[in-house]
Amino acid sequence: MKREIIITNDGTTTIRIPEWNENYHSSHGAIQEAKHVFIKNGLDLFKNQSSISILEIGYGTGLNAFITFLETHETLNVDYVGIEAYPVSMKEIGQLNYVSQLGAFQFHPIFERMHSDDWEIPQNISNNFTLTKHQQFFQEIEDKDRFHLIYFDAFGFPTQPELWSEAIFKKMYDALLPDGVLVTYACRTVIKKAMLSVGFSVEKLPGAPGKREMLRAKKAPVFLKI
């Protein structure tokens, strides 16, 4: 399927799939969306911890992983797992301008390693950031009680509604630790209902620029009955 590089409204690049009329990030701004949805309303909840485990659904261009590294490389130990069925090529990665747009030139080798390092094997990207990339479909995830935080960054509901189903969110619920959090840019009623049906508590939050709302879901802790 054809993919092309485009410039979003905040000057940052993303990948577009013309056949689907779908982008990897918001056309209103790739970096500003990532920072608003996944950092401000996700990662920032855990910054008082010494360590965090994160699952990204839709690793894609690696933007969310890279920004997470920049936000935590002096403060948090991070175990980061990215799921991607169709990895982006190194040629495409070379056309993305995230390093320059983020003013992170000293970490350019880190961004490259996030794509060039082997898949399926944990890689020590830095002293406190471990990255494991899995090339698999979301339906194949079987983790249980492992992650503090999930970045749910799949393609939009109109393009792939099956990725926003009750079955997928049950896998997400199971993968989270008690009190774990899932954040996503999306805010359709059908998505909220799917989250609620598997046990999440769900709240609507102001969306990134260009979007009115987003969703944040929390896994309720499990209490033993006495």
Side-chain angles (χ1 to χ4, degrees), residues 61-103:
T61 66
L63 175 59
N64 296 329
F66 188 53
I67 293 179
T68 299
F69 166 80
L70 296 177
E71 292 283 331
T72 62
H73 72 94
E74 294 180 344
T75 57
L76 269 175
N77 291 311
V78 178
D79 174 21
Y80 198 103
V81 176
I83 308 297
E84 179 61 55
Y86 303 101
V88 175
S89 71
M90 290 305 296
K91 180 180 179 181
E92 290 167 316
I93 293 304
Q95 298 176 67
L96 302 176
N97 66 357
Y98 303 143
V99 171
S100 60
Q101 289 291 309
L102 289 163

Side-chain angles (χ1 to χ4, degrees), residues 43 46-47 49-54 68 72-80 126-130 148:
L43 181 64
F46 299 91
K47 282 193 170 178
Q49 299 183 175
S50 60
S51 62
I52 185 172
S53 53
I54 300 173
T68 299
T72 62
H73 72 94
E74 294 180 344
T75 57
L76 269 175
N77 291 311
V78 178
D79 174 21
Y80 198 103
S126 71
N127 290 335
N128 68 322
F129 196 103
T130 300
H148 296 96

Side-chain angles (χ1 to χ4, degrees), residues 165-174 193-200:
S165 66
E166 185 175 321
I168 293 295
F169 285 117
K170 178 62 166 63
K171 287 183 176 289
M172 301 299 100
Y173 188 91
D174 290 344
K193 286 182 177 179
M195 291 176 172
L196 290 169
S197 70
V198 302
F200 280 114

